[in-house]
Amino acid sequence: EIGHIIMNRPKKLNALSKELVEQVIQSLEQLSQNDAVKAIILSGSGNAFCAGGDIESMNSLSDANEIVKWIDIASGLSKKLMNTEKYVIAAVHGYAAGAGFSIALAADFIVADEQAKFALSFTNIGLIPDLGLIKSLTERVSPPIAKEWISSGKVLTSKEAHAHGIINRISTGSVVEEAVRFAEFIVKGPSISNKYVKYLVNHVGELHQETAFAQENMIQAMLLQTQDHKEGIAAFLEKREAHFTGK
């Protein structure tokens, strides 16, 4: 089963308000606790994926404490996407602009349609990228490219983003339908293995080589004792498709 979260502020191009951020985080928590759900798709309603932070909401913040609190709440969405044990696919159509690009990058995979645009619109309004974008982007492209794109307010097409390894797949039709097709390997795969792959890959930059070996070895020793591993071996020997249960 695939969970689907739709950001639903179409008249605001799904700009991130406090309410929207909290709703998406709550939905991620609910889906992450549902054992039947193997993957989660995040998409936007209307004409865009997400136009970034809600400028009207940000302008209404009256003091430094409120501003810091809002940034903490908003960045909590990126953290939740990264730390949710299940794989999350951002299905992007229209604009993923500013913080909208940040949350797309915080997902594990991006599927985008041919018309999608990824806009680094932060310096255009005198800000820097937030919601984790600087780290997420420089894990995909070199620092000089990241600096150029960010400081020039670059708008990437799907084709450019795909060429730089930022998105996984370009859709010629419905981006959500393409995301469902993309998720097939996750749904059919061993969820317990995928959980640890996500964890290790997301933390690889923080680990010393010896620590990385130690974590891999510990997790592998545990996985070798699972029913999914036994099923994978049996399916290989019997030349059939494996049926994983997440146990």
Side-chain angles (χ1 to χ4, degrees), residues 95-98 101 105 116-125 129 133 137 141 144-164 166:
Y95 269 90
F101 192 6
L105 287 171
K117 298 282 194 299
F118 299 85
L120 289 154
S121 46
F122 303 94
T123 59
N124 298 345
I125 53 172
L133 182 141
L137 185 63
V141 301
I145 293 290
K147 287 179 217 173
E148 177 193 345
W149 286 0
I150 291 165
S151 290
S152 65
K154 174 79 171 173
V155 179
L156 289 154
T157 64
S158 288
K159 207 170 184 178
E160 288 175 302
H162 189 262
H164 284 277
I166 290 165

PDB file of all heavy atoms in Angstrom, residues 95-98 101 105 116-125 129 133 137 141 144-164 166:
ATOM      1  N   TYR A  95       5.442  24.608  -9.850  1.00  0.00           N
ATOM      2  CA  TYR A  95       6.610  25.131  -9.151  1.00  0.00           C
ATOM      3  C   TYR A  95       6.878  24.425  -7.821  1.00  0.00           C
ATOM      4  O   TYR A  95       5.965  24.174  -7.045  1.00  0.00           O
ATOM      5  CB  TYR A  95       6.459  26.626  -8.876  1.00  0.00           C
ATOM      6  CG  TYR A  95       7.035  27.490  -9.979  1.00  0.00           C
ATOM      7  CD1 TYR A  95       6.234  27.889 -11.048  1.00  0.00           C
ATOM      8  CD2 TYR A  95       8.369  27.878  -9.966  1.00  0.00           C
ATOM      9  CE1 TYR A  95       6.758  28.675 -12.080  1.00  0.00           C
ATOM     10  CE2 TYR A  95       8.901  28.656 -10.984  1.00  0.00           C
ATOM     11  CZ  TYR A  95       8.100  29.056 -12.037  1.00  0.00           C
ATOM     12  OH  TYR A  95       8.622  29.819 -13.053  1.00  0.00           O
ATOM     13  N   ALA A  96       8.147  24.096  -7.592  1.00  0.00           N
ATOM     14  CA  ALA A  96       8.669  23.803  -6.259  1.00  0.00           C
ATOM     15  C   ALA A  96       9.646  24.941  -6.000  1.00  0.00           C
ATOM     16  O   ALA A  96      10.801  24.903  -6.441  1.00  0.00           O
ATOM     17  CB  ALA A  96       9.370  22.454  -6.221  1.00  0.00           C
ATOM     18  N   ALA A  97       9.151  25.976  -5.356  1.00  0.00           N
ATOM     19  CA  ALA A  97       9.923  27.217  -5.243  1.00  0.00           C
ATOM     20  C   ALA A  97      10.326  27.475  -3.801  1.00  0.00           C
ATOM     21  O   ALA A  97       9.559  27.202  -2.877  1.00  0.00           O
ATOM     22  CB  ALA A  97       9.101  28.395  -5.763  1.00  0.00           C
ATOM     23  N   GLY A  98      11.531  27.997  -3.602  1.00  0.00           N
ATOM     24  CA  GLY A  98      11.999  28.320  -2.262  1.00  0.00           C
ATOM     25  C   GLY A  98      11.901  27.128  -1.341  1.00  0.00           C
ATOM     26  O   GLY A  98      12.452  26.056  -1.634  1.00  0.00           O
ATOM     27  N   PHE A 101      11.070  23.795  -2.798  1.00  0.00           N
ATOM     28  CA  PHE A 101      12.209  23.028  -3.312  1.00  0.00           C
ATOM     29  C   PHE A 101      12.903  22.327  -2.147  1.00  0.00           C
ATOM     30  O   PHE A 101      13.311  21.166  -2.256  1.00  0.00           O
ATOM     31  CB  PHE A 101      13.159  23.975  -4.051  1.00  0.00           C
ATOM     32  CG  PHE A 101      14.235  23.299  -4.876  1.00  0.00           C
ATOM     33  CD1 PHE A 101      14.289  21.928  -5.056  1.00  0.00           C
ATOM     34  CD2 PHE A 101      15.207  24.068  -5.507  1.00  0.00           C
ATOM     35  CE1 PHE A 101      15.279  21.321  -5.827  1.00  0.00           C
ATOM     36  CE2 PHE A 101      16.211  23.484  -6.276  1.00  0.00           C
ATOM     37  CZ  PHE A 101      16.244  22.107  -6.433  1.00  0.00           C
ATOM     38  N   LEU A 105      13.547  18.257  -1.824  1.00  0.00           N
ATOM     39  CA  LEU A 105      14.877  17.685  -1.619  1.00  0.00           C
ATOM     40  C   LEU A 105      14.960  16.869  -0.327  1.00  0.00           C
ATOM     41  O   LEU A 105      15.779  15.955  -0.223  1.00  0.00           O
ATOM     42  CB  LEU A 105      15.936  18.793  -1.584  1.00  0.00           C
ATOM     43  CG  LEU A 105      16.279  19.453  -2.920  1.00  0.00           C
ATOM     44  CD1 LEU A 105      17.159  20.674  -2.693  1.00  0.00           C
ATOM     45  CD2 LEU A 105      16.966  18.469  -3.862  1.00  0.00           C
ATOM     46  N   ALA A 116       7.612  20.992 -14.707  1.00  0.00           N
ATOM     47  CA  ALA A 116       7.962  21.388 -13.336  1.00  0.00           C
ATOM     48  C   ALA A 116       9.174  22.329 -13.336  1.00  0.00           C
ATOM     49  O   ALA A 116      10.074  22.219 -14.166  1.00  0.00           O
ATOM     50  CB  ALA A 116       8.254  20.164 -12.480  1.00  0.00           C
ATOM     51  N   LYS A 117       9.175  23.253 -12.367  1.00  0.00           N
ATOM     52  CA  LYS A 117      10.287  24.187 -12.196  1.00  0.00           C
ATOM     53  C   LYS A 117      10.729  24.153 -10.736  1.00  0.00           C
ATOM     54  O   LYS A 117       9.897  24.130  -9.825  1.00  0.00           O
ATOM     55  CB  LYS A 117       9.858  25.612 -12.546  1.00  0.00           C
ATOM     56  CG  LYS A 117       9.408  25.818 -13.994  1.00  0.00           C
ATOM     57  CD  LYS A 117      10.592  25.905 -14.934  1.00  0.00           C
ATOM     58  CE  LYS A 117      10.195  26.455 -16.305  1.00  0.00           C
ATOM     59  NZ  LYS A 117       9.207  25.635 -17.014  1.00  0.00           N
ATOM     60  N   PHE A 118      12.041  24.175 -10.545  1.00  0.00           N
ATOM     61  CA  PHE A 118      12.631  24.156  -9.205  1.00  0.00           C
ATOM     62  C   PHE A 118      13.364  25.486  -9.011  1.00  0.00           C
ATOM     63  O   PHE A 118      14.402  25.715  -9.622  1.00  0.00           O
ATOM     64  CB  PHE A 118      13.579  22.965  -9.060  1.00  0.00           C
ATOM     65  CG  PHE A 118      12.884  21.638  -9.242  1.00  0.00           C
ATOM     66  CD1 PHE A 118      12.704  21.104 -10.508  1.00  0.00           C
ATOM     67  CD2 PHE A 118      12.387  20.944  -8.146  1.00  0.00           C
ATOM     68  CE1 PHE A 118      12.038  19.891 -10.679  1.00  0.00           C
ATOM     69  CE2 PHE A 118      11.725  19.735  -8.308  1.00  0.00           C
ATOM     70  CZ  PHE A 118      11.554  19.209  -9.574  1.00  0.00           C
ATOM     71  N   ALA A 119      12.789  26.343  -8.171  1.00  0.00           N
ATOM     72  CA  ALA A 119      13.269  27.725  -8.084  1.00  0.00           C
ATOM     73  C   ALA A 119      13.988  28.001  -6.767  1.00  0.00           C
ATOM     74  O   ALA A 119      13.435  27.787  -5.691  1.00  0.00           O
ATOM     75  CB  ALA A 119      12.086  28.684  -8.231  1.00  0.00           C
ATOM     76  N   LEU A 120      15.218  28.482  -6.896  1.00  0.00           N
ATOM     77  CA  LEU A 120      16.009  28.889  -5.729  1.00  0.00           C
ATOM     78  C   LEU A 120      15.806  30.389  -5.536  1.00  0.00           C
ATOM     79  O   LEU A 120      16.652  31.210  -5.877  1.00  0.00           O
ATOM     80  CB  LEU A 120      17.480  28.547  -5.965  1.00  0.00           C
ATOM     81  CG  LEU A 120      17.762  27.034  -5.917  1.00  0.00           C
ATOM     82  CD1 LEU A 120      18.987  26.677  -6.741  1.00  0.00           C
ATOM     83  CD2 LEU A 120      17.941  26.578  -4.478  1.00  0.00           C
ATOM     84  N   SER A 121      14.639  30.731  -5.001  1.00  0.00           N
ATOM     85  CA  SER A 121      14.198  32.128  -4.998  1.00  0.00           C
ATOM     86  C   SER A 121      14.510  32.877  -3.708  1.00  0.00           C
ATOM     87  O   SER A 121      13.925  33.914  -3.427  1.00  0.00           O
ATOM     88  CB  SER A 121      12.688  32.176  -5.263  1.00  0.00           C
ATOM     89  OG  SER A 121      12.003  31.223  -4.469  1.00  0.00           O
ATOM     90  N   PHE A 122      15.439  32.380  -2.919  1.00  0.00           N
ATOM     91  CA  PHE A 122      15.703  32.951  -1.593  1.00  0.00           C
ATOM     92  C   PHE A 122      16.423  34.298  -1.657  1.00  0.00           C
ATOM     93  O   PHE A 122      16.006  35.267  -1.028  1.00  0.00           O
ATOM     94  CB  PHE A 122      16.534  31.972  -0.761  1.00  0.00           C
ATOM     95  CG  PHE A 122      15.896  30.625  -0.603  1.00  0.00           C
ATOM     96  CD1 PHE A 122      16.200  29.585  -1.474  1.00  0.00           C
ATOM     97  CD2 PHE A 122      14.980  30.379   0.414  1.00  0.00           C
ATOM     98  CE1 PHE A 122      15.613  28.339  -1.333  1.00  0.00           C
ATOM     99  CE2 PHE A 122      14.387  29.144   0.566  1.00  0.00           C
ATOM    100  CZ  PHE A 122      14.701  28.115  -0.309  1.00  0.00           C
ATOM    101  N   THR A 123      17.553  34.366  -2.397  1.00  0.00           N
ATOM    102  CA  THR A 123      18.319  35.616  -2.410  1.00  0.00           C
ATOM    103  C   THR A 123      17.565  36.726  -3.138  1.00  0.00           C
ATOM    104  O   THR A 123      17.878  37.899  -2.952  1.00  0.00           O
ATOM    105  CB  THR A 123      19.717  35.427  -3.040  1.00  0.00           C
ATOM    106  OG1 THR A 123      19.565  34.951  -4.388  1.00  0.00           O
ATOM    107  CG2 THR A 123      20.543  34.433  -2.233  1.00  0.00           C
ATOM    108  N   ASN A 124      16.566  36.352  -3.958  1.00  0.00           N
ATOM    109  CA  ASN A 124      15.741  37.370  -4.628  1.00  0.00           C
ATOM    110  C   ASN A 124      15.023  38.251  -3.607  1.00  0.00           C
ATOM    111  O   ASN A 124      14.671  39.393  -3.912  1.00  0.00           O
ATOM    112  CB  ASN A 124      14.687  36.714  -5.528  1.00  0.00           C
ATOM    113  CG  ASN A 124      15.307  35.898  -6.647  1.00  0.00           C
ATOM    114  OD1 ASN A 124      16.480  36.025  -6.938  1.00  0.00           O
ATOM    115  ND2 ASN A 124      14.512  35.056  -7.286  1.00  0.00           N
ATOM    116  N   ILE A 125      14.772  37.712  -2.413  1.00  0.00           N
ATOM    117  CA  ILE A 125      14.101  38.498  -1.365  1.00  0.00           C
ATOM    118  C   ILE A 125      15.028  38.684  -0.152  1.00  0.00           C
ATOM    119  O   ILE A 125      14.574  38.854   0.979  1.00  0.00           O
ATOM    120  CB  ILE A 125      12.751  37.879  -0.949  1.00  0.00           C
ATOM    121  CG1 ILE A 125      12.890  36.397  -0.565  1.00  0.00           C
ATOM    122  CG2 ILE A 125      11.725  38.039  -2.063  1.00  0.00           C
ATOM    123  CD1 ILE A 125      11.629  35.802   0.038  1.00  0.00           C
ATOM    124  N   PRO A 129      18.724  30.034   1.615  1.00  0.00           N
ATOM    125  CA  PRO A 129      17.885  28.835   1.644  1.00  0.00           C
ATOM    126  C   PRO A 129      17.714  28.321   3.072  1.00  0.00           C
ATOM    127  O   PRO A 129      18.618  28.437   3.903  1.00  0.00           O
ATOM    128  CB  PRO A 129      18.671  27.839   0.797  1.00  0.00           C
ATOM    129  CG  PRO A 129      19.490  28.673  -0.113  1.00  0.00           C
ATOM    130  CD  PRO A 129      19.878  29.870   0.708  1.00  0.00           C
ATOM    131  N   LEU A 133      17.888  23.070   2.810  1.00  0.00           N
ATOM    132  CA  LEU A 133      18.210  22.985   1.380  1.00  0.00           C
ATOM    133  C   LEU A 133      19.693  23.033   1.086  1.00  0.00           C
ATOM    134  O   LEU A 133      20.170  22.323   0.191  1.00  0.00           O
ATOM    135  CB  LEU A 133      17.494  24.099   0.604  1.00  0.00           C
ATOM    136  CG  LEU A 133      17.724  24.068  -0.916  1.00  0.00           C
ATOM    137  CD1 LEU A 133      16.454  24.417  -1.672  1.00  0.00           C
ATOM    138  CD2 LEU A 133      18.851  25.007  -1.356  1.00  0.00           C
ATOM    139  N   LEU A 137      21.124  20.187  -1.175  1.00  0.00           N
ATOM    140  CA  LEU A 137      21.554  20.491  -2.546  1.00  0.00           C
ATOM    141  C   LEU A 137      23.031  20.175  -2.749  1.00  0.00           C
ATOM    142  O   LEU A 137      23.414  19.604  -3.774  1.00  0.00           O
ATOM    143  CB  LEU A 137      21.277  21.963  -2.866  1.00  0.00           C
ATOM    144  CG  LEU A 137      21.569  22.388  -4.301  1.00  0.00           C
ATOM    145  CD1 LEU A 137      20.678  21.655  -5.299  1.00  0.00           C
ATOM    146  CD2 LEU A 137      21.407  23.906  -4.463  1.00  0.00           C
ATOM    147  N   VAL A 141      25.007  18.364  -5.865  1.00  0.00           N
ATOM    148  CA  VAL A 141      25.854  19.089  -6.821  1.00  0.00           C
ATOM    149  C   VAL A 141      27.052  19.667  -6.074  1.00  0.00           C
ATOM    150  O   VAL A 141      27.047  19.758  -4.855  1.00  0.00           O
ATOM    151  CB  VAL A 141      25.077  20.217  -7.548  1.00  0.00           C
ATOM    152  CG1 VAL A 141      23.878  19.656  -8.298  1.00  0.00           C
ATOM    153  CG2 VAL A 141      24.637  21.316  -6.578  1.00  0.00           C
ATOM    154  N   PRO A 144      30.608  24.851  -5.677  1.00  0.00           N
ATOM    155  CA  PRO A 144      30.596  26.033  -6.555  1.00  0.00           C
ATOM    156  C   PRO A 144      29.296  26.166  -7.354  1.00  0.00           C
ATOM    157  O   PRO A 144      28.788  27.279  -7.534  1.00  0.00           O
ATOM    158  CB  PRO A 144      31.796  25.805  -7.490  1.00  0.00           C
ATOM    159  CG  PRO A 144      32.711  24.920  -6.707  1.00  0.00           C
ATOM    160  CD  PRO A 144      31.803  24.009  -5.937  1.00  0.00           C
ATOM    161  N   ILE A 145      28.751  25.037  -7.831  1.00  0.00           N
ATOM    162  CA  ILE A 145      27.485  25.075  -8.568  1.00  0.00           C
ATOM    163  C   ILE A 145      26.356  25.504  -7.635  1.00  0.00           C
ATOM    164  O   ILE A 145      25.520  26.342  -7.987  1.00  0.00           O
ATOM    165  CB  ILE A 145      27.173  23.699  -9.195  1.00  0.00           C
ATOM    166  CG1 ILE A 145      28.176  23.354 -10.298  1.00  0.00           C
ATOM    167  CG2 ILE A 145      25.747  23.641  -9.731  1.00  0.00           C
ATOM    168  CD1 ILE A 145      28.056  24.187 -11.546  1.00  0.00           C
ATOM    169  N   ALA A 146      26.338  24.918  -6.423  1.00  0.00           N
ATOM    170  CA  ALA A 146      25.290  25.271  -5.448  1.00  0.00           C
ATOM    171  C   ALA A 146      25.321  26.768  -5.142  1.00  0.00           C
ATOM    172  O   ALA A 146      24.276  27.432  -5.113  1.00  0.00           O
ATOM    173  CB  ALA A 146      25.460  24.451  -4.173  1.00  0.00           C
ATOM    174  N   LYS A 147      26.526  27.320  -4.922  1.00  0.00           N
ATOM    175  CA  LYS A 147      26.641  28.751  -4.612  1.00  0.00           C
ATOM    176  C   LYS A 147      26.148  29.611  -5.774  1.00  0.00           C
ATOM    177  O   LYS A 147      25.451  30.612  -5.573  1.00  0.00           O
ATOM    178  CB  LYS A 147      28.099  29.097  -4.292  1.00  0.00           C
ATOM    179  CG  LYS A 147      28.587  28.600  -2.943  1.00  0.00           C
ATOM    180  CD  LYS A 147      30.040  28.989  -2.766  1.00  0.00           C
ATOM    181  CE  LYS A 147      30.793  27.887  -2.053  1.00  0.00           C
ATOM    182  NZ  LYS A 147      32.239  28.148  -2.006  1.00  0.00           N
ATOM    183  N   GLU A 148      26.543  29.219  -6.994  1.00  0.00           N
ATOM    184  CA  GLU A 148      26.102  29.977  -8.181  1.00  0.00           C
ATOM    185  C   GLU A 148      24.576  29.951  -8.294  1.00  0.00           C
ATOM    186  O   GLU A 148      23.934  30.995  -8.477  1.00  0.00           O
ATOM    187  CB  GLU A 148      26.722  29.370  -9.445  1.00  0.00           C
ATOM    188  CG  GLU A 148      26.261  30.067 -10.724  1.00  0.00           C
ATOM    189  CD  GLU A 148      26.617  29.288 -11.983  1.00  0.00           C
ATOM    190  OE1 GLU A 148      27.450  28.361 -11.920  1.00  0.00           O
ATOM    191  OE2 GLU A 148      26.037  29.616 -13.040  1.00  0.00           O
ATOM    192  N   TRP A 149      24.000  28.766  -8.193  1.00  0.00           N
ATOM    193  CA  TRP A 149      22.542  28.632  -8.327  1.00  0.00           C
ATOM    194  C   TRP A 149      21.805  29.422  -7.255  1.00  0.00           C
ATOM    195  O   TRP A 149      20.844  30.120  -7.534  1.00  0.00           O
ATOM    196  CB  TRP A 149      22.145  27.155  -8.234  1.00  0.00           C
ATOM    197  CG  TRP A 149      22.462  26.344  -9.444  1.00  0.00           C
ATOM    198  CD1 TRP A 149      23.048  26.771 -10.606  1.00  0.00           C
ATOM    199  CD2 TRP A 149      22.219  24.947  -9.611  1.00  0.00           C
ATOM    200  NE1 TRP A 149      23.188  25.720 -11.478  1.00  0.00           N
ATOM    201  CE2 TRP A 149      22.690  24.597 -10.903  1.00  0.00           C
ATOM    202  CE3 TRP A 149      21.662  23.957  -8.797  1.00  0.00           C
ATOM    203  CZ2 TRP A 149      22.596  23.295 -11.396  1.00  0.00           C
ATOM    204  CZ3 TRP A 149      21.568  22.663  -9.290  1.00  0.00           C
ATOM    205  CH2 TRP A 149      22.030  22.330 -10.570  1.00  0.00           C
ATOM    206  N   ILE A 150      22.264  29.287  -6.011  1.00  0.00           N
ATOM    207  CA  ILE A 150      21.570  29.947  -4.895  1.00  0.00           C
ATOM    208  C   ILE A 150      21.673  31.465  -5.016  1.00  0.00           C
ATOM    209  O   ILE A 150      20.678  32.186  -4.905  1.00  0.00           O
ATOM    210  CB  ILE A 150      22.143  29.472  -3.539  1.00  0.00           C
ATOM    211  CG1 ILE A 150      21.772  27.996  -3.286  1.00  0.00           C
ATOM    212  CG2 ILE A 150      21.628  30.345  -2.399  1.00  0.00           C
ATOM    213  CD1 ILE A 150      22.568  27.340  -2.173  1.00  0.00           C
ATOM    214  N   SER A 151      22.877  31.970  -5.267  1.00  0.00           N
ATOM    215  CA  SER A 151      23.081  33.426  -5.264  1.00  0.00           C
ATOM    216  C   SER A 151      22.551  34.105  -6.523  1.00  0.00           C
ATOM    217  O   SER A 151      22.375  35.322  -6.539  1.00  0.00           O
ATOM    218  CB  SER A 151      24.561  33.747  -5.069  1.00  0.00           C
ATOM    219  OG  SER A 151      24.938  33.411  -3.740  1.00  0.00           O
ATOM    220  N   SER A 152      22.278  33.323  -7.572  1.00  0.00           N
ATOM    221  CA  SER A 152      21.699  33.906  -8.792  1.00  0.00           C
ATOM    222  C   SER A 152      20.188  33.687  -8.868  1.00  0.00           C
ATOM    223  O   SER A 152      19.546  34.148  -9.811  1.00  0.00           O
ATOM    224  CB  SER A 152      22.360  33.301 -10.040  1.00  0.00           C
ATOM    225  OG  SER A 152      22.049  31.910 -10.135  1.00  0.00           O
ATOM    226  N   GLY A 153      19.624  32.978  -7.876  1.00  0.00           N
ATOM    227  CA  GLY A 153      18.183  32.706  -7.902  1.00  0.00           C
ATOM    228  C   GLY A 153      17.783  31.794  -9.040  1.00  0.00           C
ATOM    229  O   GLY A 153      16.734  31.966  -9.673  1.00  0.00           O
ATOM    230  N   LYS A 154      18.606  30.806  -9.312  1.00  0.00           N
ATOM    231  CA  LYS A 154      18.417  29.885 -10.441  1.00  0.00           C
ATOM    232  C   LYS A 154      17.043  29.204 -10.411  1.00  0.00           C
ATOM    233  O   LYS A 154      16.562  28.795  -9.355  1.00  0.00           O
ATOM    234  CB  LYS A 154      19.521  28.819 -10.390  1.00  0.00           C
ATOM    235  CG  LYS A 154      19.403  27.698 -11.391  1.00  0.00           C
ATOM    236  CD  LYS A 154      19.881  28.092 -12.759  1.00  0.00           C
ATOM    237  CE  LYS A 154      19.968  26.887 -13.690  1.00  0.00           C
ATOM    238  NZ  LYS A 154      20.267  27.282 -15.069  1.00  0.00           N
ATOM    239  N   VAL A 155      16.443  29.082 -11.593  1.00  0.00           N
ATOM    240  CA  VAL A 155      15.226  28.285 -11.766  1.00  0.00           C
ATOM    241  C   VAL A 155      15.577  27.112 -12.678  1.00  0.00           C
ATOM    242  O   VAL A 155      15.943  27.300 -13.839  1.00  0.00           O
ATOM    243  CB  VAL A 155      14.080  29.115 -12.385  1.00  0.00           C
ATOM    244  CG1 VAL A 155      12.837  28.237 -12.572  1.00  0.00           C
ATOM    245  CG2 VAL A 155      13.753  30.318 -11.516  1.00  0.00           C
ATOM    246  N   LEU A 156      15.496  25.910 -12.126  1.00  0.00           N
ATOM    247  CA  LEU A 156      15.857  24.705 -12.870  1.00  0.00           C
ATOM    248  C   LEU A 156      14.629  24.089 -13.528  1.00  0.00           C
ATOM    249  O   LEU A 156      13.568  23.981 -12.903  1.00  0.00           O
ATOM    250  CB  LEU A 156      16.444  23.654 -11.918  1.00  0.00           C
ATOM    251  CG  LEU A 156      17.823  23.913 -11.337  1.00  0.00           C
ATOM    252  CD1 LEU A 156      17.963  23.179 -10.016  1.00  0.00           C
ATOM    253  CD2 LEU A 156      18.891  23.442 -12.295  1.00  0.00           C
ATOM    254  N   THR A 157      14.780  23.683 -14.782  1.00  0.00           N
ATOM    255  CA  THR A 157      13.735  22.886 -15.422  1.00  0.00           C
ATOM    256  C   THR A 157      13.872  21.430 -14.961  1.00  0.00           C
ATOM    257  O   THR A 157      14.896  21.041 -14.395  1.00  0.00           O
ATOM    258  CB  THR A 157      13.882  22.925 -16.952  1.00  0.00           C
ATOM    259  OG1 THR A 157      15.142  22.301 -17.304  1.00  0.00           O
ATOM    260  CG2 THR A 157      13.844  24.359 -17.475  1.00  0.00           C
ATOM    261  N   SER A 158      12.852  20.631 -15.236  1.00  0.00           N
ATOM    262  CA  SER A 158      12.928  19.204 -14.912  1.00  0.00           C
ATOM    263  C   SER A 158      14.130  18.560 -15.592  1.00  0.00           C
ATOM    264  O   SER A 158      14.827  17.738 -14.998  1.00  0.00           O
ATOM    265  CB  SER A 158      11.659  18.470 -15.367  1.00  0.00           C
ATOM    266  OG  SER A 158      10.576  18.808 -14.557  1.00  0.00           O
ATOM    267  N   LYS A 159      14.339  18.946 -16.845  1.00  0.00           N
ATOM    268  CA  LYS A 159      15.439  18.356 -17.622  1.00  0.00           C
ATOM    269  C   LYS A 159      16.782  18.665 -16.974  1.00  0.00           C
ATOM    270  O   LYS A 159      17.638  17.783 -16.827  1.00  0.00           O
ATOM    271  CB  LYS A 159      15.402  18.915 -19.053  1.00  0.00           C
ATOM    272  CG  LYS A 159      15.994  18.007 -20.100  1.00  0.00           C
ATOM    273  CD  LYS A 159      15.677  18.553 -21.481  1.00  0.00           C
ATOM    274  CE  LYS A 159      16.182  17.584 -22.549  1.00  0.00           C
ATOM    275  NZ  LYS A 159      15.851  18.066 -23.906  1.00  0.00           N
ATOM    276  N   GLU A 160      16.985  19.916 -16.569  1.00  0.00           N
ATOM    277  CA  GLU A 160      18.240  20.304 -15.901  1.00  0.00           C
ATOM    278  C   GLU A 160      18.386  19.574 -14.566  1.00  0.00           C
ATOM    279  O   GLU A 160      19.471  19.084 -14.241  1.00  0.00           O
ATOM    280  CB  GLU A 160      18.261  21.814 -15.657  1.00  0.00           C
ATOM    281  CG  GLU A 160      18.457  22.665 -16.888  1.00  0.00           C
ATOM    282  CD  GLU A 160      18.337  24.143 -16.576  1.00  0.00           C
ATOM    283  OE1 GLU A 160      17.283  24.571 -16.075  1.00  0.00           O
ATOM    284  OE2 GLU A 160      19.304  24.876 -16.828  1.00  0.00           O
ATOM    285  N   ALA A 161      17.297  19.527 -13.801  1.00  0.00           N
ATOM    286  CA  ALA A 161      17.346  18.875 -12.494  1.00  0.00           C
ATOM    287  C   ALA A 161      17.670  17.391 -12.638  1.00  0.00           C
ATOM    288  O   ALA A 161      18.437  16.828 -11.850  1.00  0.00           O
ATOM    289  CB  ALA A 161      16.013  19.060 -11.762  1.00  0.00           C
ATOM    290  N   HIS A 162      17.116  16.773 -13.664  1.00  0.00           N
ATOM    291  CA  HIS A 162      17.376  15.343 -13.900  1.00  0.00           C
ATOM    292  C   HIS A 162      18.830  15.121 -14.312  1.00  0.00           C
ATOM    293  O   HIS A 162      19.489  14.189 -13.849  1.00  0.00           O
ATOM    294  CB  HIS A 162      16.432  14.815 -14.976  1.00  0.00           C
ATOM    295  CG  HIS A 162      16.458  13.328 -15.138  1.00  0.00           C
ATOM    296  ND1 HIS A 162      17.198  12.699 -16.111  1.00  0.00           N
ATOM    297  CD2 HIS A 162      15.858  12.336 -14.411  1.00  0.00           C
ATOM    298  CE1 HIS A 162      17.033  11.386 -16.004  1.00  0.00           C
ATOM    299  NE2 HIS A 162      16.237  11.136 -14.985  1.00  0.00           N
ATOM    300  N   ALA A 163      19.334  16.008 -15.154  1.00  0.00           N
ATOM    301  CA  ALA A 163      20.723  15.889 -15.625  1.00  0.00           C
ATOM    302  C   ALA A 163      21.722  16.011 -14.476  1.00  0.00           C
ATOM    303  O   ALA A 163      22.796  15.406 -14.512  1.00  0.00           O
ATOM    304  CB  ALA A 163      21.012  16.955 -16.681  1.00  0.00           C
ATOM    305  N   HIS A 164      21.368  16.763 -13.444  1.00  0.00           N
ATOM    306  CA  HIS A 164      22.247  16.947 -12.283  1.00  0.00           C
ATOM    307  C   HIS A 164      21.976  15.939 -11.164  1.00  0.00           C
ATOM    308  O   HIS A 164      22.535  16.055 -10.073  1.00  0.00           O
ATOM    309  CB  HIS A 164      22.120  18.373 -11.741  1.00  0.00           C
ATOM    310  CG  HIS A 164      22.827  19.403 -12.572  1.00  0.00           C
ATOM    311  ND1 HIS A 164      24.177  19.670 -12.452  1.00  0.00           N
ATOM    312  CD2 HIS A 164      22.378  20.212 -13.554  1.00  0.00           C
ATOM    313  CE1 HIS A 164      24.522  20.605 -13.303  1.00  0.00           C
ATOM    314  NE2 HIS A 164      23.456  20.965 -13.990  1.00  0.00           N
ATOM    315  N   ILE A 166      19.236  15.487  -9.477  1.00  0.00           N
ATOM    316  CA  ILE A 166      18.381  16.019  -8.415  1.00  0.00           C
ATOM    317  C   ILE A 166      17.041  15.297  -8.386  1.00  0.00           C
ATOM    318  O   ILE A 166      16.463  15.097  -7.322  1.00  0.00           O
ATOM    319  CB  ILE A 166      18.203  17.543  -8.594  1.00  0.00           C
ATOM    320  CG1 ILE A 166      19.529  18.232  -8.280  1.00  0.00           C
ATOM    321  CG2 ILE A 166      17.088  18.091  -7.708  1.00  0.00           C
ATOM    322  CD1 ILE A 166      19.600  19.663  -8.742  1.00  0.00           C
TER     323      ILE A 166
END
